[in-house]
Amino acid sequence: MRFVDALGVLSKSSSFAVSTESDRDEGLTRIKSNLYVAMPIEEDFMSLLAQISEESKKIIFLCGSSGDGKSELMLRAKQAFTQHYIHFHLDATHSFEPHDNAIVTLDRIFDEFDKGSHSLVIGINIGMLGNYSEEAKNKNISDKIKKYLEFKEKSDDFNFVNFEDYPKFEITETNYKSDFITRLLKRITSPSSELYQLYIKDESEGLNSTDYLKFLNYKLLCNEKVQEVVVELLLKVRLFRNQFITARTFLDLIYELICQKDYLFNNLFSCNNNEILEKVIEFDPSRLRTKTIDRFVIGYELDSLTQEFEIFKQSLKAELMIGSLNNSNSYIRLFYILKFEDIGNNFHKKFTEDFSESLLSNYLEVYRHHIYYDAVKSRSVLRNFYNKELLSAIRSYINKKAPYLGDEQFLIAEYDEYKVISHLKIGPDFSALEKDQPKYNNGHFDVYIRIKDFCDEENDPTLVFSVDINLYELLSRLRAGYRPNKNDRSVVVMLNEIVNRLLIFANKSNQINFKSSFEEIKFIREDSCIEVGY
């Protein structure tokens, strides 16, 4: 088997993209099996199946999105558990008869379950699960599914294992990691893998063939420092664009990086044949406008770069077999994917600061102090975040028509020339944060704002809401004077929800001022009396 043929196993258009029970090419099947990575979801799923006995009567749903690996895991489970009292339905989007649909097929399967004594294991897309909960003939099954979808409710005899509960990225106390992606990359690029062995066998001939870029790209991907950059990019795509990364889409991404008709670093930022890479394009480093990058681009266009760059190009040729590139954008992208690697005279390290992910690193720091809250270590960091970043940005957004207002003043209405101003003392609620420790590491964190000196039995004086990296970025830009536009629509909706909740408290403040250009009237409530002053 040739290396370039074996790469086809990675493609989403390959017949190997979805695991089935049919017989196929043994060599390619072996390579596909070699790429399989067992993850915690498999351990939990297999553990549940091991608990099924002939006396028990259970239903287990394996749920997730298209391409996340349900078919592979269901097939492995069916091969491992061959007991007659466990029945498998590998794909709940399929029907048994041409004239039936998936809903009818599931109704039939559950009818057989009710009449029989066996347990049932079903692989199903989460969307299909929702559809079936509305259309199911069996009301008991429908109610159980709805309770799970709404409240995550499970039981001993009716369980759900969901890929969404096993995030591909974990933000740790000191860094971030993706066991799924790094282990899959190792399977693809480690010297013990079948792909690598085929690469070594065909390398000398392949580098002198029309497929030479596939060999160069694969070799570049084998570099662990390049893999670090790929993982970092995928984390940004996950956080900024909420892109769900499945085994199938990731393997297809690797296929596109290696097999598209350009160098890997250009494929990474210009390919739109993969749903993940469509998002990666948004983070193309050649779009950055910094003094160092702009000087390089101008120098390249004028052919006036220093000898240092020429020496670096020689190192690229000698160490990575990368010759002269056609444009400055390609070099910027190359510098980016090599930013953790040492090459020759390290000319590319001049751009390290330009490639620094300050927004990401700042967000992750605040995220960690919320998720791994420590009263001693976290309070000073979070107090600074709440007072100087979060609350400052929200106040600036509310008071955009009255930027002169003080820290405890909020513009709540305008009547002709009068502005109605509420006085509200707000700050972080660390006791609530410490009490409500999150259970999941899901890429966003909850903030807790305490409305001080507020007495209202109908409203809890603690305001809780979630912050993701997009809202965090908008808050940062608001502090710098930015005004949102139509491109910020989705994240502004989140911000407006927060503002509206805060204004409920502001409208019930103990002090309301009516202010115009020539006078100010103050209304101050104390107990059951309202004092009016000027």
Side-chain angles (χ1 to χ4, degrees), residues 210-211 213-214 217 256-263 267:
T210 55
D211 290 316
L213 274 175
K214 295 176 183 177
N217 288 340
E256 297 294 340
L257 293 185
I258 295 173
C259 296
Q260 282 295 315
K261 300 183 183 302
D262 207 334
Y263 286 109
N267 295 337

Side-chain angles (χ1 to χ4, degrees), residues 1 34 97 177 237 273 442 517:
M1 184 187 305
N34 184 248
E97 303 292 340
K177 64 179 182 177
V237 168
N273 295 335
N442 51 17
S517 58

Side-chain angles (χ1 to χ4, degrees), residues 320-484:
L320 301 177
M321 294 180 286
I322 296 175
S324 294
L325 303 176
N326 295 328
N327 54 67
S328 57
N329 285 350
S330 294
Y331 277 109
I332 297 299
R333 292 165 178 169
L334 176 59
F335 298 159
Y336 180 83
I337 70 157
L338 296 177
K339 64 181 180 177
F340 300 135
E341 181 64 285
D342 290 322
I343 297 286
N345 61 8
N346 282 334
F347 176 85
H348 64 300
K349 292 293 178 84
K350 293 177 181 289
F351 305 88
T352 299
E353 188 174 337
D354 302 86
F355 298 145
S356 64
E357 309 289 350
S358 57
L359 175 67
L360 178 61
S361 59
N362 292 341
Y363 175 78
L364 292 180
E365 181 185 23
V366 176
Y367 175 94
R368 291 186 184 103
H369 282 291
H370 278 89
I371 300 298
Y372 306 104
Y373 178 77
D374 181 284
V376 176
K377 298 177 182 178
S378 300
R379 284 211 173 192
S380 61
V381 174
L382 292 185
R383 195 178 299 279
N384 183 71
F385 163 71
Y386 276 82
N387 294 331
K388 295 184 179 180
E389 298 183 42
L390 175 67
L391 298 179
S392 174
I394 292 176
R395 189 163 48 245
S396 173
Y397 182 69
I398 293 175
N399 296 339
K400 52 183 174 287
K401 293 184 178 180
Y404 49 81
L405 295 181
D407 288 349
E408 296 177 1
Q409 295 181 315
F410 295 87
L411 178 65
I412 57 176
E414 292 183 277
Y415 296 102
D416 295 327
E417 72 271 21
Y418 282 95
K419 288 181 168 56
V420 184
I421 301 164
S422 170
H423 288 247
L424 207 62
K425 292 183 179 180
I426 56 179
D429 190 339
F430 292 125
S431 60
L433 171 58
E434 188 169 10
K435 179 181 178 182
D436 299 334
Q437 285 294 294
K439 297 179 180 179
Y440 299 106
N441 190 320
N442 51 17
H444 64 261
F445 59 87
D446 290 337
V447 301
Y448 298 79
I449 297 175
R450 183 76 176 177
I451 314 298
K452 302 175 183 178
D453 302 326
F454 186 84
C455 298
D456 185 343
E457 294 181 358
E458 295 181 2
N459 292 281
D460 184 346
T462 297
L463 184 63
V464 184
F465 56 87
S466 294
V467 173
D468 64 11
I469 197 167
N470 292 299
L471 180 56
Y472 180 85
E473 181 182 29
L474 179 61
L475 294 172
S476 299
R477 298 171 74 183
L478 288 173
R479 295 198 317 276
Y482 175 75
R483 289 292 174 259

Side-chain angles (χ1 to χ4, degrees), residues 12-168:
K12 65 183 177 185
S13 60
S14 165
S15 61
F16 290 83
V18 179
S19 293
T20 66
E21 297 178 271
S22 60
D23 295 327
R24 292 179 291 188
D25 183 282
E26 290 185 7
L28 293 176
T29 300
R30 188 173 62 251
I31 291 174
K32 175 68 184 298
S33 299
N34 184 248
L35 293 175
Y36 185 78
V37 173
M39 300 303 291
I41 187 172
E42 179 171 354
E43 297 174 9
D44 293 349
F45 183 54
M46 295 298 189
S47 176
L48 276 176
L49 294 179
Q51 296 171 29
I52 297 176
S53 66
E54 191 165 3
E55 290 72 33
S56 61
K57 187 177 171 66
K58 300 183 177 183
I59 297 177
I60 299 175
F61 286 99
L62 179 65
C63 325
S65 302
S66 176
D68 53 17
K70 293 187 302 299
S71 300
E72 183 74 36
L73 187 47
M74 285 290 290
L75 187 57
R76 285 174 175 267
K78 185 174 183 179
Q79 292 169 347
F81 295 88
T82 58
Q83 296 92 326
H84 69 276
Y85 51 82
I86 302 179
H87 291 192
F88 288 86
H89 184 47
L90 297 186
D91 190 342
T93 61
H94 291 171
S95 60
F96 294 141
E97 303 292 340
H99 56 275
D100 288 345
N101 59 33
I103 301 294
V104 172
T105 300
L106 284 172
D107 282 338
R108 187 183 307 172
I109 287 172
F110 287 121
D111 283 343
E112 293 172 357
F113 172 79
D114 284 340
K115 296 173 183 175
S117 58
H118 59 278
S119 291
L120 188 57
V121 185
I122 299 176
I124 189 167
N125 281 3
I126 198 71
M128 182 64 191
L129 190 66
N131 292 339
Y132 187 70
S133 70
E134 299 296 332
E135 300 183 41
K137 184 172 69 174
N138 187 314
K139 188 176 186 306
N140 179 50
I141 299 291
S142 173
D143 289 344
K144 291 287 184 71
I145 294 175
K146 287 180 178 178
K147 287 180 180 178
Y148 169 73
L149 293 175
E150 188 171 354
F151 306 110
K152 294 291 183 181
E153 184 177 310
K154 305 177 184 179
S155 61
D156 289 340
D157 61 342
F158 210 97
N159 219 314
F160 299 81
V161 181
N162 194 335
F163 275 83
E164 292 182 2
D165 295 333
Y166 297 81
K168 298 297 189 296

